[in-house]
Each structure stands twice: as C-alpha cells, then as structure tokens.
Amino acid sequence: MERRTFLRGAVVGTSAAAFGYTLMQGAAYAAPAQKGPGPYGALGTADANGIRLPSGFTSRVIARSSQVVSGTSYTWHNAPDGGACFADGTGWIYVSNSEISSTGGASAVKFNSSGSITGAYRILSNTNRNCAGGATPWNTWLSCEEVSTGYVYETDPWGVNTAVRRDAMGRFNHEAAAADPVRKVIYLTEDASDGCFYRFVPTTWGNLSSGSLQVLVAGTGTSGSFSWTTVPDPDGSPTATRDQVSAAKIFNGGEGCHYANDTVWFTTKGDNRVWQLNLANNTYELAYDDNLVSGGGAPLTGVDNVTGSSSGDLFVAEDGGNMEICIITPDDIVAPFLRITGQSSSEICGPAFSPDGKRLYFSSQRGTSGSSSGGITYEVTGPFRA
C-alpha cells in the first residue's frame, strides 16, 4: 500500500484501509481491518454533562444558547455550528458560527493561559445560516452561509476589524473552507445533493478581495485523476455555480473540510462518505463509506465537521448518528472518541483544538431541547496524544 503523510508528523495509507476498512473488488468493503475502542480506550459512563469520554478526560460547558457566557455580559448565540481556535498571546480564542436564518453570524469566547474565560463577543451579525467555515493562515475566520445564494464573510476573531463579504469566493450553498498555504488556495465545500468541490485562487495570497473560483473536474467514479476549471460567473446568476461547468464532479452534500500536508479530506453527508484529494499527484479517492461496510457496525455515521490533531489523528463529528465524535488514526483505527447522550435531536458541530492541543471545543447545536435556542458549547480536556 502506498503511504502518505497524514496531518503533522504521521502517516496513513491513501486507500480505504487507512480508515480501518479494506477495499475489496466490486466496490465492497470487508470488515474493519482493526476495530476496537481506539487509542484512548473504551468510553466510560456519561458524566454530569451527559458526555461519555475515555478514562482521564473531563468535560465542561463553555456556553449555552440564549444565556450569558460565565464571567461576561455577552449572551451566546443560538444554533452554534462550525468553529476554530486562534492563538491570543498566552491564551486563545474559540470562534463559533450561528446557523440561524437572517440573524446568524458568529461569536467568540476568549480564554487566558489557564483556560479561564475572559470575554465573549459578536464578530459577525445579521447574516444567513452561518454553518461551517475555516481559519486562514493570517488569523481570520471565514464564515460561510449555507443558503443557495450564500456568501463567505471574512471575520476578525478579536472583533476589532469589521467583517468583510468576499464576493469573489462565489455565491452558492457554502459549507466549509480549508486553506492550503502551499498552493495558496482556499478549498470550499457545497452542501447540496448535487453540489461540487471548489477552490478559490486569490490574486494575492492573504487578500481574498479578488481571484478565481474553480471547480473540481473528474469522472463519475470513486477514484481517479482530477483537474480544475474556472467557474465563469462566481455570483451564480443566472446559472448556479455547480451547473456552469458540465464536467464538474458532483458530490452529495459537502460538509467538513480539512487540509494537511498535500492532502484534503472532506465529508459528504448525503452518502456518508469521506473523500481525499491527493494534491501531489492530482488524484482523488473514496477513503471511507459506512454504507459499504459489510456486516454493518460501522463506528462512524452521519459524517459532518472535521478537524485534525497534532498527533496525526482526524476527528469527525456526527450530524445525528449516535452523537459521537469519532477518531480516525494514522494506524488504521476508526473508533468513537466521545458520545453525547440524551440529545438525539441535535448534531455535533465545530470541533477545534486549542493551540496547544490539550483542549477540544465543540457544540451540540440543539442540545437536550432539540431547539436552536438550546445549543451547548463544550470543552474536553485530557491526555490527548502529542
């Protein structure tokens, strides 16, 4: 099996076996090559916050929708979704989107070096269904609107500079974004059953005011080579961006997106798949598909937001499923890392690590109530792999 660097300082295979499943002839999967509790061990019983965690890990509630964030005067937004962390001196900032129609936007929570909350504030207001997004290498947060004519907004995690709408990045059902500092592009997913996968090539790296929106062009199979073609009218009018290039490859409900070391991973929720683009040789492949796991029992369903850790592990949040964040390790294991109990009408959003890799932040979008006003944002601390 060919091996490829996976995230920072680790390796993983570039086939489905890399995710604990072996791809067989006839496009069927065998049982997991390695199946078990994963590197952190089995999940314990639910803690006081209703979260099942491996031994040594603890959770705390950071914020609740419609309630004032502890130690501040700021009321946390409803329906928390995609998020990211940014270093702030010896502390850090966690940014979170709000997937609410018309009054969505994004907020931030500030922490000091000990993890205590020192502030919370709004960084984007009055936008539409801000679902996921992505951090840039120049420390801004790209907040994406998940509507058919949605925009990308570039925001300041510190809340000092006014958010800017980046029209050149296209107008479509935006979901996630991932920056590639090597090729100096931003990858973009589209949450539509007949959506596409895009990249934005800025005229000047670090300035998203102008550039070219391109769409991935490939065959209809689950692996092969790919190329990029410029979208003629990024504003999506009168023809939607996904319909402007006839050879564009269709993906069923693009969701989370993560770049590291010449590889992009992204999820498609409509068919429960994880895809990878091998950028060094311009090939793509189906890396994981829970619908094709023989015998059932796949540990990862309802794939959604993704993030990576410094150890080389990929953390994938579930929308539905059994409300888990699952881990995909470089040594071919797919296993639950945590499970939220008593919130079956919600989804897990916005997983992101603090800059030192010792704390994982995420949200349950609708919490125990199943309502957008019941969202809960959490922090998990423990012996994460270095």
Side-chain angles (χ1 to χ4, degrees):
M1 179 196 307
E2 180 187 1
R3 307 294 288 183
R4 173 171 300 281
T5 301
F6 177 60
L7 306 181
R8 288 188 286 173
V11 294
V12 72
T14 59
S15 73
F19 285 29
Y21 297 86
T22 304
L23 184 62
M24 307 296 289
Q25 290 183 342
Y29 284 84
Q34 299 183 45
K35 185 176 181 180
Y40 294 108
L43 302 184
T45 57
D47 65 11
N49 296 318
I51 300 180
R52 296 182 60 188
L53 292 162
S55 177
F57 288 85
T58 59
S59 73
R60 68 165 171 160
V61 173
I62 296 304
R64 294 180 182 271
S65 295
S66 304
Q67 297 185 23
V68 173
V69 178
S70 178
T72 77
S73 60
Y74 183 73
T75 300
W76 196 237
H77 57 261
N78 289 350
D81 207 287
C85 281
F86 299 84
D88 178 43
T90 58
W92 59 92
I93 297 168
Y94 177 67
V95 167
S96 171
N97 277 346
S98 173
E99 195 182 6
I100 295 294
S101 298
S102 302
T103 58
S107 303
V109 180
K110 213 171 187 181
F111 303 86
N112 64 18
S113 59
S114 66
S116 297
I117 296 173
T118 61
Y121 45 89
R122 175 68 64 153
I123 63 171
L124 177 66
S125 299
N126 300 321
T127 49
N128 203 0
R129 292 184 56 83
N130 297 78
C131 196
T136 69
W138 49 93
N139 291 322
T140 59
W141 167 247
L142 302 179
S143 183
C144 298
E145 290 184 312
E146 189 192 13
V147 292
S148 61
T149 54
Y151 290 104
V152 174
Y153 288 81
E154 187 169 17
T155 68
D156 177 13
W158 286 263
V160 175
N161 299 311
T162 302
V164 179
R165 196 177 76 190
R166 295 304 189 189
D167 294 15
M169 298 185 76
R171 198 173 188 190
F172 56 87
N173 213 55
H174 282 279
E175 181 69 32
D180 177 351
V182 176
R183 290 151 199 86
K184 299 182 178 179
V185 301
I186 307 290
Y187 302 104
L188 301 161
T189 57
E190 181 176 26
D191 191 357
S193 60
D194 58 345
C196 293
F197 188 82
Y198 304 86
R199 73 175 186 180
F200 178 67
V201 186
T203 304
T204 302
W205 185 236
N207 183 343
L208 303 179
S209 61
S210 65
S212 175
L213 180 69
Q214 300 177 341
V215 66
L216 186 140
V217 170
T220 59
T222 55
S223 65
S225 60
F226 69 85
S227 60
W228 300 98
T229 298
T230 297
V231 175
D233 298 308
D235 65 355
S237 176
T239 304
T241 55
R242 62 183 176 274
D243 297 327
Q244 293 181 27
V245 177
S246 60
K249 184 167 180 60
I250 301 303
F251 294 99
N252 189 352
E255 291 286 342
C257 188
H258 180 73
Y259 167 85
N261 296 338
D262 291 336
T263 306
V264 175
W265 286 266
F266 64 96
T267 61
T268 51
K269 188 172 61 181
D271 49 19
N272 276 314
R273 288 173 166 176
V274 180
W275 300 81
Q276 68 182 63
L277 303 184
N278 305 312
L279 301 168
N281 60 10
N282 287 336
T283 61
Y284 73 95
E285 58 191 298
L286 177 61
Y288 173 86
D289 186 341
D290 96 314
N291 296 295
L292 297 179
V293 176
S294 64
L300 173 60
T301 59
V303 297
D304 204 307
N305 292 171
V306 297
T307 194
S309 72
S310 60
S311 66
D313 297 322
L314 192 69
F315 286 72
V316 185
E318 292 184 339
D319 179 353
N322 50 3
M323 286 290 288
E324 291 179 343
I325 294 179
C326 287
I327 184 173
I328 301 171
T329 75
D331 52 353
D332 304 348
I333 293 176
V334 183
F337 170 72
L338 65 79
R339 181 184 300 168
I340 300 177
T341 63
Q343 300 186 32
S344 59
S345 296
S346 187
E347 62 185 272
I348 300 179
C349 307
F353 281 94
S354 59
D356 62 6
K358 295 180 180 179
R359 301 164 191 258
L360 175 66
Y361 295 92
F362 58 93
S363 295
S364 170
Q365 189 178 84
R366 295 175 292 279
T368 57
S369 70
S371 166
S372 61
S373 61
I376 309 171
T377 300
Y378 299 97
E379 173 195 84
V380 165
T381 305
F384 287 104
R385 305 202 300 175

